[in-house]
Amino acid sequence: MSSPTTVPPDVFDLDHEQVVFCNDPATGLRAIVAIHSTALGPALGGTRFYPFSSTAAALNDVLDLSRGMTYKAALAGLDLGGGKAVIIGDPATAKSEPLLRAYGRFVQSLGGRYYTACDVGTYSPDMDVVARECSFVTGRSTSHGGAGDSSVLTAYGVFQGMRAAAEVAWGAPTLAGRTVGVAGVGKVGHHLVRLLVEDGASIVINDVSPAAVARVVGEHPDVRVFGSTDKLVASALDVYAPCALGGALTDEVVEVLSAKVICGAANNQLAHPGVEKALEERGILYAPDYCVNSGGLIQVADELEGFDFDRAKQRAGSIYDTTRDVFRLAAADGVPPAIAADRLAERRMRDVGRLRGVWLPAD
Ligand SMILES: NC(=O)c1ccc[n+]([C@@H]2O[C@H](COP(=O)([O-])OP(=O)(O)OC[C@H]3O[C@@H](n4cnc5c(N)ncnc54)[C@H](O)[C@@H]3O)[C@@H](O)[C@H]2O)c1
């Protein structure tokens, strides 16, 4: 999880709007909903069902994740704020219909300030159950009018971000003839490999799951496989695409990487503050994670209007332009792209968010 610390933060020292603890001993529900910002609209973010070691660890995670959602939605051009929820427990044993429905009633009690969706440990059929008690649910299964698996457009968005990075690095928005290393070929990574192969890239992969590797090699026999991420990272690459866990970009990885571009789906790729500067100093162009991996959020946000895949895909295609804007601002301001992405998101929150101050009779 993104935050290993178990010291409980003082939530009043942070900039979150609202943090809600939900306790239902009969079903075993222990959940925390964090609403970081509603400057641009209702907060949207998934529910992570995970056996956190402590309440403090869960709280730290949900506070970090909800802030990240604010920036992701703002940069993606959505009229949504940032929120996230965690349910403390092992989903394999603790998840039940009564627990999910109890959770749904708590989310309903927030009156639409927070919309929930899937995350680690929760799936579309779970959202269908939550939706039996709650109107503020997205990421439901297609049979319930939902957007279903968000990894399809997440991969599409990462591909568009990578095209924008290729244009800066090599002068043309294509990966044709480039070697791309995809670390993690799960739901997002395997779709990304397909898009890259279609574009004419050579692919190297690695994954700790032999089944995940076998699926990709079965579909694309020319893909080369490395036994570890360390070996993949140290190989001759043009692009590195972290698509497994967060924290992939450590000082050691920055040191050995031959790739000129980093662009992948994983959340929170920078292992610690300062890595973005080290990447810049080594001449490696980093496409900020939350900029390029917002396709899934765009997909589930579309469900709020009645899901239309083609419309959602078109919106996810705009990640190409957004990534270009980030690189342009980075060059103009002389800052790493990760800083430029934050500046663009904050600018939109300020400039669009202030319009709420123009009073309308319906407000
Ligand atoms: N699914 C989405 O729509 C979405 C949206 C935004 C961000 N993300 C992020 O993208 C990443 C991938 O998401 P996903 O939905 O494909 O998840 P997933 O669980 O389907 O795939 C992750 C893959 O990484 C592999 N993996 C795990 N640890 C590894 C390691 N140490 N080395 C190599 N491979 C390893 C797993 O075996 C798995 O195949 C995650 O960080 C996720 O938070 C996903």
Side-chain angles (χ1 to χ4, degrees):
M1 297 298 107
S2 60
S3 184
T5 173
T6 50
V7 178
D10 183 338
V11 290
F12 294 113
D13 286 344
L14 304 170
D15 54 353
H16 294 69
E17 287 179 19
Q18 192 175 10
V19 182
V20 180
F21 288 76
C22 315
N23 190 29
D24 184 44
T27 58
L29 176 73
R30 290 192 297 151
I32 312 172
V33 180
I35 296 175
H36 175 254
S37 166
T38 56
L40 291 174
L44 191 153
T47 300
R48 181 162 294 190
F49 204 141
Y50 186 78
F52 293 97
S53 56
S54 66
T55 305
L59 180 60
N60 275 303
D61 220 35
V62 77
L63 292 170
D64 276 359
L65 292 165
S66 59
R67 184 185 294 103
M69 291 308 295
T70 295
Y71 280 79
K72 192 184 288 199
L75 193 60
L78 297 169
D79 290 339
L80 291 169
K84 200 87 181 185
V86 291
I87 298 178
I88 302 167
D90 182 349
T93 51
K95 199 187 284 176
S96 68
E97 181 194 346
L99 181 145
L100 290 172
R101 292 181 73 149
Y103 174 62
R105 292 183 77 83
F106 280 109
V107 174
Q108 181 71 12
S109 76
L110 295 171
R113 282 177 48 75
Y114 168 66
Y115 279 74
T116 197
C118 306
D119 194 68
V120 174
T122 55
Y123 302 89
S124 293
D126 299 327
M127 292 305 125
D128 295 338
V129 178
V130 175
R132 290 169 75 177
E133 303 290 344
C134 179
S135 323
F136 309 111
V137 183
T138 182
R140 284 169 300 158
S141 58
T142 46
S143 58
H144 285 78
D149 179 8
S150 62
S151 60
V152 178
L153 289 189
T154 300
Y156 183 66
V158 172
F159 176 62
Q160 295 304 330
M162 206 181 283
R163 289 180 57 236
E167 189 171 28
V168 173
W170 302 294
T174 174
L175 283 306
R178 304 289 162 199
T179 300
V180 183
V182 182
V185 284
K187 292 192 291 293
V188 178
H190 99 274
H191 287 303
L192 181 62
V193 168
R194 176 180 44 79
L195 293 165
L196 290 166
V197 168
E198 285 167 7
D199 197 34
S202 302
I203 310 296
V204 298
I205 64 166
N206 106 285
D207 196 298
V208 289
S209 158
V213 170
R215 174 168 65 162
V216 170
V217 173
E219 289 168 8
H220 311 285
D222 290 342
V223 163
R224 286 180 296 135
V225 180
F226 281 97
S228 74
T229 305
D230 287 348
K231 286 188 180 140
L232 177 133
V233 163
S235 69
L237 300 177
D238 295 308
V239 180
Y240 174 41
C243 293
L245 307 176
L249 304 178
T250 60
D251 296 327
E252 294 72 32
V253 167
V254 174
E255 191 80 8
V256 299
L257 204 61
S258 59
K260 283 278 159 270
V261 166
I262 297 174
C263 180
N267 282 312
N268 302 324
Q269 289 172 29
L270 301 171
H272 62 81
V275 175
E276 74 283 355
K277 196 95 195 82
L279 287 167
E280 192 171 48
E281 281 163 12
R282 281 218 51 218
I284 299 170
L285 186 65
Y286 170 60
D289 44 19
Y290 74 84
C291 172
V292 300
N293 76 10
S294 62
L297 174 63
I298 291 170
Q299 180 165 333
V300 294
D302 192 87
E303 189 178 320
L304 302 177
E305 299 174 44
F307 186 57
D308 179 330
F309 182 80
D310 293 334
R311 180 180 61 204
K313 185 173 178 185
Q314 196 180 356
R315 285 180 178 161
S318 69
I319 290 172
Y320 171 73
D321 298 309
T322 307
T323 312
R324 290 177 81 184
D325 290 346
V326 167
F327 291 143
R328 262 196 218 115
L329 183 68
D333 285 7
V335 294
I339 307 285
D342 288 355
R343 287 185 183 176
L344 273 182
E346 284 160 4
R347 187 184 294 173
R348 183 162 177 267
M349 276 185 266
R350 188 186 60 233
D351 294 352
V352 179
R354 67 159 279 282
L355 296 174
R356 301 285 175 85
V358 178
W359 186 83
L360 291 175
D363 281 353

